Amino acid sequence: MTTHVHTTPTGTNPTSTTYWTTLDSPLGPLLLTADSSGALTSLSVPGQKGGREVQADWRHDPGPFHAAQEQLRAYFTGELKEFRLPLSTSGTAFRERVWTALDEVPYGSTATYGEIAARVGASRAAVRAVGGAIGANPLLVLRPCHRVIGADGSLTGYAGGLERKVRLLTLEGAL
């Protein structure tokens, strides 16, 4: 079975309310945010490079996150391999293509940065740009950037920290 995150595009509205909640997990407390439609906009872990932090104008409300919490709990216990959640992210066209390519990396497997570059039609020279787009992924765990490894099989970079990457890949049986 493959893991695929189903994205429901919703336009970004600067006047829209951002909802947030936290969820305890084996990776530490997860910070989840959603837009006013209930689509998830980010999932961050403590100390994450580029991770989000609660802002004063955000509304704390666990209501929009019920399905995400259930699915994440099932994922961390090994009962779920495919997330089915509404997502709303915004990035450059290139980043969006890279993030879509991440969604296609199956549960329990890995892909190299070069393979992701090829999937989005980027040259071998663009591998660094692909790495930057992967590092900017706002939806850790849900959009499986942890499944991307170096060409030599090394567990290079992960915005959430290499220890968490190892934990996720071990959970999925990829290590």
Side-chain angles (χ1 to χ4, degrees):
M1 175 182 278
T2 62
T3 298
H4 185 75
V5 179
H6 298 274
T7 304
T8 305
T10 58
T12 55
N13 179 348
T15 62
S16 145
T17 301
T18 298
Y19 296 92
W20 70 275
T21 196
T22 57
L23 173 68
D24 288 333
S25 82
L27 304 179
L30 305 179
L31 171 63
L32 291 92
T33 62
D35 63 21
S36 47
S37 76
L40 294 174
T41 55
S42 72
L43 186 156
S44 301
V45 296
Q48 175 184 330
K49 180 182 174 187
R52 296 191 80 181
E53 294 184 16
V54 176
Q55 303 297 308
D57 62 339
W58 291 2
R59 183 179 299 166
H60 182 253
D61 181 357
F65 303 97
H66 182 70
Q69 290 176 328
E70 281 186 359
Q71 290 185 37
L72 283 161
R73 284 187 182 112
Y75 169 79
F76 286 121
T77 60
E79 298 169 20
L80 181 83
K81 293 178 173 57
E82 183 174 338
F83 292 102
R84 293 194 175 272
L85 297 164
L87 306 176
S88 177
T89 55
S90 62
T92 64
F94 179 76
R95 283 185 175 180
E96 292 288 346
R97 285 198 323 272
V98 170
W99 296 341
T100 297
L102 291 177
D103 294 341
E104 297 167 359
V105 180
Y107 180 97
S109 65
T110 58
T112 66
Y113 290 91
E115 290 167 345
I116 297 294
R119 288 180 192 185
V120 300
S123 68
R124 295 290 289 158
V127 168
R128 189 175 299 262
V130 167
I134 291 169
N137 171 23
L139 290 161
L140 291 192
V141 182
L142 300 174
R143 180 166 281 140
C145 54
H146 57 276
R147 297 180 188 150
V148 182
I149 61 173
D152 62 358
S154 62
L155 301 181
T156 61
Y158 183 60
L162 286 179
E163 176 182 305
R164 289 186 180 109
K165 182 173 189 159
V166 167
R167 190 170 207 143
L168 291 168
L169 291 173
T170 301
L171 169 73
E172 295 184 3
L175 284 184

